[in-house]
Amino acid sequence: MKADLAANPAWSGAPSQTDEFLLMFLRAEVFSPSAAANRYRKFWKAKITLCGEEKAALPIKFEDARAALESEFVQLVPGTRDIEGRQVVMIVSSNMDKTLERRLRLLSVWYVLLAALEDVETQRRGFCFVGYQKAVKRSQADPTFVKMVMQSLQGALPVRIGSINICYPPTFFRVVWGIINPFLHERVKRRVRVIPGTDAEVLGVLGAIVPPDGLPPPMGPKPKEFSAWLAEQAQKDA
């Protein structure tokens, strides 16, 4: 990977990185050096677009994305893993605040995932995404933003996608899916599960992947810990 980057460098302003940081990209690409180097280059291109060249070399801080993080549309679920040991992240679409600019919302996604990737086991095993769509309104749908997130997951962030579980898809889901589907890699499409039905039906299917008692409201009974996790992250950033 280092030889590949030496021959075709990433952004010239990127800070020198530790082997531990580069390992995240190798693990995301199942130790393919060329694919890992390519993802690393894309990471910096995407981060420049997201943060601006003057801030791209700096870590993303809680205060940079505070408003979007506190809306809790993207939530790490501390302590909960799927049956394969993957870190669970919930996407609560009804919490989406479209008055916030897309860049800020995307920054919050990056913040949560990069913080979770500080755990080596999450780097190795990846993520299980659970999308809660039950209370979402058509006015909250934002296919452009979904494409931005998927492009980050597929090609820039050092993330392994174990599964994406879309629960309670709304009636307009087909429209949104039709817009984002062409932008998804085939291997990502194979990891998408759409789970419609009643509470019992959805939790029955999802329960084979994620323990139902390991999910917080609005899906499960686990005490909500994301706010406390955010507070800890903010303190660390300070």
Side-chain angles (χ1 to χ4, degrees), residues 92-98 105 133 135-143 145-146 172:
V92 184
S93 296
S94 56
N95 287 352
M96 177 79 72
D97 182 356
K98 286 180 69 177
R105 284 181 269 152
Q133 305 280 310
V136 69
K137 300 173 183 176
R138 189 171 191 130
S139 61
Q140 291 176 299
D142 191 347
F145 175 68
V146 175
F172 55 85

Side-chain angles (χ1 to χ4, degrees), residues 35 69 74 78 91 104 106 111 127 137 142 158 215 218 233 238:
L69 287 166
V74 55
I91 309 294
L104 185 61
L106 184 59
Y111 182 86
F127 290 87
K137 300 173 183 176
D142 191 347
L215 294 172
Q233 290 298 123

Side-chain angles (χ1 to χ4, degrees), residues 36-218:
N38 193 42
R39 185 179 284 262
Y40 180 79
R41 284 186 283 266
K42 289 181 177 178
F43 172 87
W44 288 110
K45 287 180 182 177
K47 199 172 181 205
I48 289 168
T49 300
L50 187 60
C51 301
E53 193 161 331
E54 68 284 355
K55 291 186 177 180
L58 302 174
I60 299 171
K61 300 287 189 178
F62 170 77
E63 288 298 333
D64 298 333
R66 183 183 191 120
L69 287 166
E70 290 182 343
S71 73
E72 299 190 356
F73 79 91
V74 55
Q75 303 178 19
L76 186 79
V77 186
T80 296
R81 309 237 171 198
D82 73 359
I83 57 169
E84 299 294 335
R86 302 183 185 102
Q87 173 63 57
V88 173
V89 172
M90 277 183 60
I91 309 294
V92 184
S93 296
S94 56
N95 287 352
M96 177 79 72
D97 182 356
K98 286 180 69 177
T99 66
L100 298 175
E101 61 175 320
R102 292 188 180 110
R103 187 197 68 82
L104 185 61
R105 284 181 269 152
L106 184 59
L107 200 62
S108 72
V109 174
W110 275 57
Y111 182 86
V112 168
L113 296 182
L114 286 172
L117 284 167
E118 292 174 9
D119 172 54
V120 172
E121 201 62 20
T122 298
Q123 296 175 26
R124 289 174 173 155
R125 296 182 182 271
F127 290 87
C128 167
F129 295 93
V130 177
Y132 180 81
Q133 305 280 310
K134 192 174 187 178
V136 69
K137 300 173 183 176
R138 189 171 191 130
S139 61
Q140 291 176 299
D142 191 347
T144 299
F145 175 68
V146 175
K147 284 192 292 185
M148 291 168 68
V149 171
M150 293 311 303
Q151 285 166 347
S152 291
L153 293 179
Q154 291 179 139
L157 283 164
V159 165
R160 297 189 67 183
I161 300 175
S163 66
I164 299 173
N165 305 278
I166 301 170
C167 304
Y168 306 102
T171 54
F172 55 85
F173 175 74
R174 287 181 181 274
V175 176
V176 175
W177 180 252
I179 295 171
I180 66 172
N181 183 55
F183 293 86
L184 301 181
H185 296 165
E186 287 303 318
R187 69 176 182 271
V188 173
K189 290 179 187 177
R190 292 194 293 269
R191 288 165 169 73
V192 175
R193 297 183 181 93
V194 180
I195 312 175
T198 64
D199 288 351
E201 290 167 338
V202 169
L203 292 175
V205 174
L206 189 63
I209 306 161
V210 181
D213 60 357
L215 294 172

